[in-house]
Amino acid sequence: MTTPLLEFKDFSLKIGEKKFIDNFSLKVYKGNVVLIYGPRDSGKSALLRSMVHLNEELFESIKSEGHIFFNGSDVLSLGRKELRKKIAYIDTSFIESLSPLTVNQIIKLVKGNGVDLYHDEMIKLLKELEILDLLKNGIHTRVGELHGNERVLFLLFVALLREPEIVALDCIVDHLDDDAALKVQKVVLSLKQKYTLILATRRLPNFLSIADKVVVLQDGKANFVGTKKEMMLTFSKEE
C-alpha cells in the first residue's frame, strides 16, 4: 500500500490554554490537492503551521499529542531547515518582512550567494507565475513595490525556489478582490501537475474546482473529510 506523503494521526494541539486542533487525522498522497475549509479561528493556520514547527516560534506555550508524518518520518525527528525545504508554508503576513528586500536579495537568501540570477530555470519560473512583467526594475525591484495579488504571486515564487514537495497555502486569496483572486487561482491551478498542494481558505469556492479532497474544519475538529462530490451530497442531505 502506498505510504502517504503527509499524514496527521490523532493530532491535537493546545496553545496556552486553548485547544486549536482536536484529534485530527488526514492522509495526503503525492500529487493530491487538499482543500481545508473553515471560518476564522477554526484551526486552519495552526494546523498548517504544525507541519513545519512554526507554532513553536510564534507562541510560548505549545503542547501537542498524536503525530504528523512526512514521508513516513515523524516531523519531530526532522530538522526544521530540512523540513521547510520539503514543505513550503506560505502566509501572506510573510510579505511584510520581505518588503524592504529586492528580488535578487531574496533569491540569494533562499538559493545561496552563488546562484545564477539569470539562469533559464529562474526566468522560466518567474514567467510561469506571471511575475516577470510585474517587476518594474527587473530583479532589482523591491518587494514592497508589489501590491495585492502581485505580492501573493511573489510569495509563491519564494516558496517554489526551495523546490519543495508540498506547498501549503494559508488563506492567500481570502483578502483579495474577485479579479485578483481569480488570477492567483489560475496560477495555483498550473502548479497542480508538479506539487502536492494543501490550501486553507475561508472562501470555499476559491479552490474547490481543483481539490481532490476537502476537509471542513470547525473548532479544531474535522467535521468532514472526503471528495468535493461527497461533500456536496453530505451537506445537501443535512439541509
Side-chain angles (χ1 to χ4, degrees), residues 83-110:
L83 191 60
R84 292 173 186 179
K85 184 176 180 182
K86 298 295 185 181
I87 303 175
Y89 169 79
I90 300 175
D91 177 346
T92 51
S93 66
F94 293 177
I95 203 71
E96 297 307 320
S97 60
L98 297 177
S99 291
L101 302 176
T102 60
V103 174
N104 62 317
Q105 287 173 328
I106 292 172
I107 293 173
K108 288 179 179 179
L109 281 173
V110 176

Side-chain angles (χ1 to χ4, degrees), residues 176-225:
L176 299 178
D177 62 39
D178 289 343
D179 288 341
L182 281 171
K183 184 166 185 177
V184 175
Q185 289 167 31
K186 175 187 171 185
V187 173
V188 171
L189 177 59
S190 73
L191 302 178
K192 183 178 179 180
Q193 305 303 320
K194 299 180 181 179
Y195 304 95
T196 300
L197 302 174
I198 302 176
L199 315 170
T201 185
R202 296 192 302 273
R203 293 164 58 180
L204 185 59
N206 282 338
F207 299 109
L208 186 60
S209 62
I210 65 171
D212 299 307
K213 185 178 290 186
V214 180
V215 177
V216 178
L217 204 62
Q218 179 74 42
D219 296 325
K221 295 182 179 181
N223 285 351
F224 172 83
V225 178

Side-chain angles (χ1 to χ4, degrees), residues 1 5 11 14 64 80 85 87 95 99-100 118-119 124 129-130 146 155 159 186 194 210 212 218 224 234:
M1 186 175 180
L5 181 59
F11 181 73
K14 284 185 72 175
S64 64
R80 293 185 186 184
K85 184 176 180 182
I87 303 175
I95 203 71
S99 291
Y118 297 96
H119 191 278
K124 181 182 177 183
L129 297 180
E130 301 185 11
L146 301 174
L155 284 176
K186 175 187 171 185
K194 299 180 181 179
I210 65 171
D212 299 307
Q218 179 74 42
F224 172 83
T234 298

Side-chain angles (χ1 to χ4, degrees), residues 11-49:
F11 181 73
S12 296
L13 174 72
K14 284 185 72 175
I15 300 176
E17 296 301 315
K18 181 178 179 180
K19 179 170 275 191
F20 278 74
I21 307 297
D22 189 3
N23 199 36
F24 181 83
S25 294
L26 176 69
K27 293 180 179 180
V28 180
Y29 292 92
K30 186 174 182 179
N32 277 177
V33 178
V34 178
L35 181 64
I36 300 178
Y37 166 71
R40 189 185 298 275
D41 295 327
S42 58
K44 302 184 301 298
S45 296
L47 183 69
L48 266 58
R49 291 193 301 257

Side-chain angles (χ1 to χ4, degrees), residues 45 53 58 88 99 123 142 154 158 167 230 236:
S45 296
H53 300 303
L58 298 176
S99 291
I123 301 302
R142 292 193 181 279
F154 185 74
V158 174
V167 178
E230 291 168 342
S236 64

Side-chain angles (χ1 to χ4, degrees), residues 147-188:
H147 303 282
N149 65 303
E150 300 174 357
R151 291 184 165 203
V152 173
L153 292 171
F154 185 74
L155 284 176
L156 280 173
F157 171 70
V158 174
L160 299 185
L161 280 176
R162 306 177 201 168
E163 301 177 36
E165 293 187 47
I166 296 175
V167 178
L169 310 178
D170 191 356
C171 300
I172 64 168
V173 300
D174 288 9
H175 302 290
L176 299 178
D177 62 39
D178 289 343
D179 288 341
L182 281 171
K183 184 166 185 177
V184 175
Q185 289 167 31
K186 175 187 171 185
V187 173
V188 171

